[in-house]
Amino acid sequence: MVQGFRRSYAGKRLCVLYFFITIMVTALRHPQAAAQALTTEAPVPTPAAASAPESPPEAGFPVATVLPPPAGTSTVVIEADQQSERDGHYTLDGHVVLRYGDRTFAADHVEYDTESGEVTATGHIVASGGRNDELLYATRGTLNVKTQRGSFDNVTGSVGIKPGAGRLVYANGNPFLFSGRRVVKTGPQAYEVYGGTVTSCRLDHPDWVLSASKFTVDSEMARASNSVFRLLNIPLLYLPYVTQPVDVTDRQSGLLIPVVGESSTKGLVLGEQIYFALGRSQDLTVGAQYFSLRGWEQMATYRFKGYGDDFAMAHYSGLLDRGYYTGGSFVNQGGEDVTFAGRHDLSGNTRVAATAEYLSSYPYREAFTENFNQAVSTDILSVAYAQHQSGGYVVSALTDKYQGLKRIPVGTTQGQEIKIFHLPSVEFAAMDHALGISGLRWSLESTAAGLKRVEPNFATSGVVERLDVHPMLSYPVQLRGWSLLPSVGVRETFYSRSRQTPPQGTPAPPVQSTAPLGRGDVEVGLDLRAPVLERTFDSPFTQRFFGTAVRHTIEPSLNLRYVGGVNSFKNVLRFDAVDVVSNTRELEYGTVQRLFLKPRRAAPCTAADLKPEAERVKDAGDVPANGQQWDCGSREWITWQLAQKYFFDESFGGAVVNGRRNIFDTTLNLSGVAFLTEPRAISPLISRLRFAPTEKVDVEWDFDLDTGAKKFTSNNLLVDFHKDDVFGGLSFARLSAPGRSYSQGVSVATSDFNQLRILAGYGAPTKRGLSVGANAGLDLILGTVEYGTLETSYNWDCCGLSVEYRKYELGSARNESVYRFNFTLANIGTAGNLKRAERLF
C-alpha cells in the first residue's frame, strides 16, 4: 500500500472511531442513504435489555392533566368474553379489546373506569395505532385513554410496523423497534424507555442494537445518553449521545455520515456534509473533503421535485489544489464544475427545460471525477429551450453552447478547444398534415438562428444570422402490401456571413467573409417498401433443433434521393447539421431480417395482450398469409439489419475535398462514422445484428465494413449475461476511420481506437451473504488497463459491509489507486465513500 496510507494509519484509527460514533450521533435523514432490504415476514424482535435501574426515578412519572379528549376518543368500544359493570367501572376478561379513535388496546384482563379513562391491564397486552403506527407488547400496564399516558412492564414495541393479514408489515421505510423493562407513555406519541434497546433490525436476534439505561422517544426522534452500540452481539462503541429518526413523513436537517477514504494521489480523504430539508419538495446538501496530498474540495447539491415532471437539480464541486511537481514541472489540477438540469411544464403542451454545465478546467474533471466516462470525455453541452406543441405543430425557442477539446493526436494532452453557440434559435415545425382531400401530405421545418463559432485560428466576428426554410410534400401509396412514398421539397437558407476556403493543398486556415450567402436546393425522394416475405419452419428437424417452430421474415427497402442546387458548399459556415447539406444523387438499399421463436406452450392472446401484440406484429411484418395470428409470447430471436448507399454523384457536387475527412448530411444519416476522404460511389456496408440466444443472454454486433478500403471502419461487439445473482458483460469497440483535420495544418490520418471492457460478478445489493464483482477497461493499442475495479460485500440480515479497490490509469493526467468502503445499517443509512451509483452491484 502507498506510503501515504502507512503514515496516516495511526491517525486513521481515530478517524474510523469518529466515523462509527457519528453513525448514531448525527441525524441520518438523507434521502439518498442506501439501505439493505429486509424480510417483512420476521417476527417482532425481542433484544436483550442493557443493565439499568430496576425502576425509573419518580420524576419520570409526569402528573397527568385531564384534557378534552381528541376527536373519536370519547367513545370506547369494548369487546370481551366476559364483562361486568358497576358504577361505570368495567371488569373484562378473555380476549379483551378496547377500540378508541385510531387506537386499539388488547389484553387478557382489563379494569376500565369510564369516568377517568383509566385502564389497568395484565396478560398479553397489545397496544397499537396512532399516526406513526405504534405497536407495543407488554405483560402488565396502565393507560389513560383520554390523556394517552401510562406505563408498561416487560415491553417490546415498534414504530412504523403494523399488523396485517396475519403478519406484520412495514408501514414506512424506516421502522423503529425497541424493548425495555419499563416504558412510560408520556403523551399520544411520546415514550420513555428504561433499561432497553432500540434497533431497526426486525429479527428475533437483531444484527445490531443500541442499549442504554433510558431512551426518550417522541413523534420525530429517539434520543439516548451513555449508550452502547452492539454489532452481532459484540459491544463496539460507547456513544455519549445518540439520536435515531422515528417519523419519515418529514425529512430532517442534520449532519450526514462522514467520509473516510484513501487514495494514492489524494492521500487520506476526510469529508463531511450538512443536509438541509427545505420543505417537502426541495433540499440542499453542502460539504467539503480534505485530501491530505492535494488540498480542499468543496461541493453543494440542490434538488427540487415539483408537480408531475417538474424538477430542478444543481451541483457544484471545486478543488483548491496545492499541486505537485513531476519531471521538474509544477502541475495544478484545481478547478470548478457546475451543472444544472431542470424542467417546468406550463401546460400539457408547453414546457421549458434546461441542461447546463460550466467547467473551468478539463484536467480537474479528468483527475478528480469518480465517473470514468466523464474522465475521458471533453465535450460539454448546455441547452435551454421552451417548446409548445399542439395538433402536429411545434414551436421552440432554444439557446445552446457546445464546448469540446479535440486532441492532436487522440490520447495526448495537446489539443484545441472548439466552441459553437446558438444565440438563440427559434424553430417552427409542422408534422405530416393532410392537404385537403388530395391525398397529399405536407410538412415544414424552419429555423431562425443567431450562430457563433470559435476555435484556434478561426472565429466568426459577432453573431452570424441564419434563416432556413424547408417545406416538403409527399403522397403515400399503399397497394397490395407495397408501400410507396414519393416526396418533393425545397430548402432555402440565408447566411449573413460566409466562409472563404483557401485552394486545396494550401495549409492556410479558412477565414470568415462579411459577404452574405444564399443557398437553395431542390429535393426529390422515393421510398419503396416491399411486402414482408415470411416463412414458418415447423418441420421435425426444426422442432428437434430449436425446440419449437421458427418464423423468418425479410423486409426489403429502397430509397432513391436527389438533392441539387447546393453550389456553394465550401463557402458555408459550419455550425450544425443544417450547414452540411450537399448535392447528392443516391440509392439506399437494405433489408431487415428477423427470426421469431414460437412459444413452446402456445397460448391464445388475452384481451390485455392483444393490442400490444398486434402492434408488434404489424411493425415486424409478422402477419401469416392465412390471416391467423402468431401465438402471443413469441420471442424475437435474431434481428439483422443491412444497409448501403450507392452515390451516382461521386463528388457530391464538388463538395468533396481530397485527403480530408468530409461529413455531409447524407453520410450522417447512414452512419455516425466518417468514411469520405475522396470521391467514391459506394458507402460502407452498415450491419446491425441483435441476437438473444436465451432470455438471459443478449448479443449485439454492429459494424461498418468499407468494401473499398477492405476494412472495418467500426466494429463493436456487446455481450450481456444475467442469471439469478450471476452477471457478466463484455464490450469490444474498434474504430479505424479518417482522422480529423485541424486549422493549424495538423492532421491525423486515422482515428485509431481499440478498447475492451469486461464485467463479471456474483451477487446483488440486497443479497444476503457474499457478493463479489470486478470490471476492467483495456486499451488494446497501448496495452494498458485504463481502469479496473474489484468489489466485494457481505450482507447480514440487517447490516452489510462493502469494500472496493479501484484503479485509474489515464496517462500523465491521472494514475490513481483508491480504496473505498461502506458499512450499511438497514433502514438507517450507509457510512463510507463507496456511493451506490458507483457500485458494481
Side-chain angles (χ1 to χ4, degrees):
M1 196 172 292
V2 296
Q3 290 184 349
F5 183 76
R6 295 195 192 99
R7 290 196 301 268
S8 60
Y9 178 74
K12 285 202 297 181
R13 287 184 295 179
L14 296 176
C15 295
V16 171
L17 177 60
Y18 167 70
F19 147 74
F20 274 107
I21 292 175
T22 53
I23 292 177
M24 307 305 295
V25 174
T26 54
L28 307 179
R29 297 313 305 259
H30 196 287
Q32 290 180 331
Q36 303 293 333
L38 302 177
T39 173
T40 60
E41 303 294 335
V44 175
T46 55
S51 60
E54 291 294 328
S55 62
E58 291 299 323
F61 293 90
V63 178
T65 301
V66 178
L67 300 175
T73 61
S74 58
T75 301
V76 177
V77 178
I78 300 175
E79 299 176 10
D81 294 343
Q82 298 178 7
Q83 59 177 291
S84 62
E85 185 267 341
R86 182 177 181 181
D87 298 330
H89 185 86
Y90 286 82
T91 301
L92 310 170
D93 289 286
H95 303 95
V96 181
V97 178
L98 305 182
R99 305 182 191 277
Y100 55 101
D102 60 349
R103 295 178 180 271
T104 300
F105 187 92
D108 294 339
H109 173 79
V110 171
E111 302 282 341
Y112 171 51
D113 186 78
T114 57
E115 181 177 354
S116 64
E118 198 72 27
V119 175
T120 302
T122 58
H124 300 94
I125 297 174
V126 180
S128 61
R131 184 170 67 92
N132 286 340
D133 294 296
E134 302 160 23
L135 184 61
L136 184 146
Y137 298 87
T139 57
R140 63 179 179 270
T142 62
L143 176 69
N144 191 296
V145 296
K146 294 183 178 181
T147 64
Q148 291 296 304
R149 300 190 180 194
S151 64
F152 302 89
D153 294 331
N154 303 317
V155 176
T156 61
S158 65
V159 177
I161 301 179
K162 59 183 179 181
R167 60 174 184 169
L168 298 178
V169 297
Y170 287 137
N172 59 53
N174 190 32
F176 171 81
L177 304 105
F178 59 89
S179 68
R181 294 180 179 177
R182 171 162 290 190
V183 171
V184 177
K185 186 173 174 60
T186 59
Q189 299 180 68
Y191 298 88
E192 291 179 353
V193 181
Y194 293 91
T197 64
V198 300
T199 184
S200 64
C201 184
R202 190 178 152 190
L203 295 173
D204 283 328
H205 302 285
D207 291 339
W208 70 270
V209 296
L210 196 66
S211 59
S213 60
K214 177 183 176 181
F215 291 93
T216 302
V217 184
D218 57 29
S219 60
E220 296 182 352
M221 195 77 66
R223 301 171 178 86
S225 300
N226 302 318
S227 60
V228 176
F229 176 74
R230 297 174 180 267
L231 179 64
L232 302 178
N233 207 29
I234 300 174
L236 290 183
L237 292 173
Y238 166 76
L239 304 174
Y241 182 74
V242 58
T243 64
Q244 160 67 23
V246 174
D247 182 17
V248 296
T249 58
D250 292 324
R251 300 175 300 167
Q252 301 174 8
S253 301
L255 294 172
L256 301 183
I257 299 175
V259 172
V260 181
E262 174 70 21
S263 165
S264 62
T265 59
K266 302 182 182 74
L268 176 65
V269 179
L270 297 175
E272 179 59 292
Q273 292 180 303
I274 305 175
Y275 175 74
F276 299 94
L278 308 177
R280 297 185 59 185
S281 59
Q282 54 187 334
D283 55 36
L284 174 67
T285 305
V286 180
Q289 292 188 104
Y290 174 72
F291 304 146
S292 63
L293 299 181
R294 304 302 292 270
W296 286 93
E297 182 183 47
Q298 55 280 351
M299 73 285 290
T301 301
Y302 169 80
R303 302 184 306 171
F304 165 79
K305 182 65 178 75
Y307 177 77
D309 293 326
D310 291 1
F311 78 96
M313 177 178 291
H315 178 74
Y316 165 81
S317 65
L319 176 69
L320 303 175
D321 190 15
R322 293 200 301 264
Y324 64 95
Y325 285 90
T326 177
S329 300
F330 179 73
V331 177
N332 187 309
Q333 294 177 316
E336 296 177 307
D337 192 5
V338 184
T339 61
F340 172 81
R343 169 175 170 165
H344 175 57
D345 291 350
L346 301 174
S347 69
N349 297 324
T350 307
R351 67 178 181 269
V352 293
T355 300
E357 180 175 8
Y358 165 76
L359 179 65
S360 65
S361 168
Y362 289 106
Y364 165 64
R365 184 165 73 177
E366 185 174 16
F368 290 96
T369 182
E370 303 299 341
N371 186 299
F372 175 78
N373 292 329
Q374 284 187 343
V376 298
S377 173
T378 59
D379 293 335
I380 302 173
L381 179 62
S382 299
V383 181
Y385 71 92
Q387 185 179 86
H388 175 76
Q389 54 186 359
S390 178
Y393 298 95
V394 181
V395 180
S396 304
L398 174 145
T399 181
D400 67 37
K401 174 187 176 183
Y402 168 80
Q403 180 179 347
L405 182 68
K406 308 307 176 185
R407 292 178 173 173
I408 314 173
V410 175
T412 69
T413 58
Q414 181 186 4
Q416 59 176 207
E417 188 177 49
I418 298 175
K419 298 179 180 179
I420 301 175
F421 305 83
H422 288 73
L423 302 168
S425 173
V426 178
E427 303 178 0
F428 174 76
M431 307 308 167
D432 286 338
H433 286 75
L435 189 62
I437 60 173
S438 64
L440 292 170
R441 306 189 70 84
W442 67 274
S443 61
L444 174 67
E445 296 176 344
S446 60
T447 63
L451 308 165
K452 186 175 179 63
R453 182 184 182 109
V454 178
E455 60 183 271
N457 296 330
F458 181 82
T460 57
S461 58
V463 176
V464 177
E465 294 87 14
R466 183 187 70 191
L467 177 64
D468 179 71
V469 181
H470 184 206
M472 294 283 294
L473 276 177
S474 61
Y475 189 82
V477 177
Q478 299 284 337
L479 181 62
R480 294 185 178 180
W482 291 79
S483 298
L484 184 66
L485 183 65
S487 62
V488 61
V490 296
R491 182 190 288 269
E492 195 68 35
T493 311
F494 168 80
Y495 296 86
S496 63
R497 294 181 180 87
S498 57
R499 185 177 76 157
Q500 290 183 353
T501 304
Q504 186 169 342
T506 304
V511 297
Q512 178 189 257
S513 171
T514 58
L517 175 68
R519 182 194 68 184
D521 68 42
V522 176
E523 304 176 8
V524 179
L526 180 63
D527 185 79
L528 178 64
R529 303 297 175 103
V532 176
L533 306 177
E534 64 173 38
R535 181 175 176 180
T536 299
F537 299 89
D538 55 1
S539 65
F541 171 79
T542 303
Q543 296 279 357
R544 187 167 53 254
F545 187 81
F546 294 101
T548 184
V550 178
R551 173 161 296 172
H552 181 208
T553 66
I554 302 176
E555 306 166 44
S557 64
L558 290 173
N559 190 300
L560 184 63
R561 184 166 177 257
Y562 165 82
V563 179
V566 183
N567 302 319
S568 53
F569 181 84
K570 297 179 181 179
N571 300 116
V572 176
L573 293 166
R574 313 291 165 77
F575 302 98
D576 53 38
V578 173
D579 308 313
V580 292
V581 174
S582 67
N583 290 341
T584 185
R585 287 180 286 120
E586 64 187 48
L587 175 65
E588 179 179 353
Y589 44 91
T591 63
V592 177
Q593 300 188 64
R594 307 177 196 269
L595 285 179
F596 296 90
L597 296 182
K598 187 177 182 179
R600 298 190 179 187
R601 294 184 179 180
C605 297
T606 63
D609 294 334
L610 191 56
K611 184 175 180 180
E613 175 71 8
E615 291 176 353
R616 186 195 66 77
V617 169
K618 180 179 179 181
D619 294 339
D622 185 22
V623 180
N626 59 8
Q628 298 297 320
Q629 183 178 352
W630 186 264
D631 293 317
C632 287
S634 61
R635 184 166 65 89
E636 192 168 335
W637 187 41
I638 297 178
T639 302
W640 189 14
Q641 180 181 2
L642 293 172
Q644 193 173 37
K645 286 188 177 183
Y646 182 85
F647 304 110
F648 300 97
D649 182 357
E650 299 182 9
S651 67
F652 297 85
V656 173
V657 177
N658 285 328
R660 296 188 60 175
R661 183 174 68 174
N662 296 269
I663 298 176
F664 307 132
D665 69 328
T666 181
T667 63
L668 287 175
N669 292 336
L670 180 67
S671 172
V673 179
F675 58 86
L676 274 177
T677 57
E678 59 185 359
R680 62 184 295 170
I682 298 180
S683 76
L685 177 66
I686 310 302
S687 173
R688 305 291 182 258
L689 176 65
R690 311 288 187 272
F691 176 40
T694 71
E695 294 181 352
K696 304 181 185 302
V697 180
D698 297 298
V699 180
E700 180 177 340
W701 182 24
D702 302 336
F703 65 80
D704 294 4
L705 176 61
D706 193 329
T707 56
K710 295 180 174 59
K711 69 172 185 177
F712 290 99
T713 55
S714 73
N715 193 2
N716 304 302
L717 176 65
L718 301 173
V719 180
D720 177 70
F721 172 78
H722 45 277
K723 177 177 174 56
D724 299 328
D725 291 327
V726 180
F727 61 91
L730 180 145
S731 67
F732 170 78
R734 180 77 170 95
L735 177 67
S736 180
R740 302 185 181 99
S741 298
Y742 298 90
S743 56
Q744 298 100 321
V746 179
S747 65
V748 181
T750 304
S751 293
D752 206 3
F753 180 90
N754 199 354
Q755 303 279 319
L756 180 66
R757 305 282 187 262
I758 302 173
L759 170 68
Y762 167 76
T766 58
K767 175 185 173 296
R768 193 179 188 279
L770 181 68
S771 297
V772 62
N775 71 349
L778 292 80
D779 188 320
L780 300 181
I781 295 178
L782 300 178
T784 60
V785 178
E786 293 184 319
Y787 72 89
T789 304
L790 176 62
E791 181 180 322
T792 182
S793 69
Y794 193 93
N795 291 332
W796 292 268
D797 292 292
C798 300
C799 59
L801 176 67
S802 297
V803 180
E804 179 189 271
Y805 169 78
R806 183 171 295 191
K807 171 73 173 177
Y808 297 95
E809 189 171 336
L810 303 177
S812 60
R814 187 173 189 177
N815 191 344
E816 178 185 15
S817 297
V818 58
Y819 299 89
R820 299 179 180 180
F821 80 98
N822 68 28
F823 177 72
T824 300
L825 293 179
N827 306 300
I828 299 295
T830 300
N833 58 347
L834 179 56
K835 299 178 181 178
R836 176 181 290 271
E838 299 164 4
R839 296 181 58 172
L840 298 183
F841 47 79

